[in-house]
Amino acid sequence: MFGVKPNKQLEKLINHLLSLNLSVDMIFLTGDVSQDMSPESYQYAATQLSRFKKVTFWIPGNHDDFQTMLTELNKSYFLQPAAVLKKPTQTFIFLNTKYKEVDSGYFNKEDKRLIEETMASARRDENVCIVMHHHPVKTNTPL
């Protein structure tokens, strides 16, 4: 893809991160895991990410096939689709902004309701983070 070998880059990145011996609680995978949407591409990503031995919460990007991604990533104990993740001082809202076969993102009424309900139930000292693949507002980028 554009002269880049994404599988090798992912492997190199994970090797580097593991060599740093970082304290990692969890990983967020925010989409565009596959360019060809093949089961093998998701299996490869799952194999590489499971090397962290940490739970990875994921959402699809516009270059992902949600059903294939769900089928393949759910085979790994470490990889879990997410909607809302509550931690003692933080809540993470994961939004699937992929809309059909278009590259631009989509924010729907259900997403808005989920955000409003989660924010309304959050404590004053709790941080609420929204995790999504696409930009939340139009940015006029050429891609």
Side-chain angles (χ1 to χ4, degrees), residues 29-34 37 58-66 69 93-108 111 115 129-143:
L29 183 61
T30 60
D32 284 358
V33 175
S34 174
M37 302 180 198
W58 63 268
I59 54 175
N62 52 297
H63 294 283
D64 291 310
D65 178 88
F66 180 75
M69 191 175 190
I93 304 169
F94 295 83
L95 301 180
N96 177 358
T97 58
K98 180 178 179 177
Y99 181 67
K100 297 184 182 178
E101 299 304 320
V102 296
D103 284 337
S104 59
Y106 179 75
F107 187 77
N108 62 38
D111 295 333
I115 292 169
C129 305
I130 299 173
V131 181
M132 64 181 85
H133 175 74
H134 293 93
H135 299 199
V137 294
K138 187 172 179 164
T139 59
N140 294 319
T141 59
L143 298 175

Side-chain angles (χ1 to χ4, degrees), residues 34-92:
S34 174
Q35 184 66 30
D36 67 1
M37 302 180 198
S38 68
E40 295 79 14
S41 64
Y42 296 109
Q43 292 164 5
Y44 180 81
T47 298
Q48 291 302 316
L49 290 164
S50 67
R51 293 172 53 205
F52 284 109
K53 296 183 175 33
K54 298 292 179 182
V55 175
T56 300
F57 297 95
W58 63 268
I59 54 175
N62 52 297
H63 294 283
D64 291 310
D65 178 88
F66 180 75
Q67 281 307 123
T68 305
M69 191 175 190
L70 182 65
T71 299
E72 297 306 323
L73 296 188
N74 276 354
K75 292 177 181 177
S76 171
Y77 164 78
F78 295 110
L79 296 151
Q80 301 175 9
V84 175
L85 172 64
K86 287 195 153 291
K87 292 298 201 178
T89 61
Q90 298 166 305
T91 295
F92 299 93

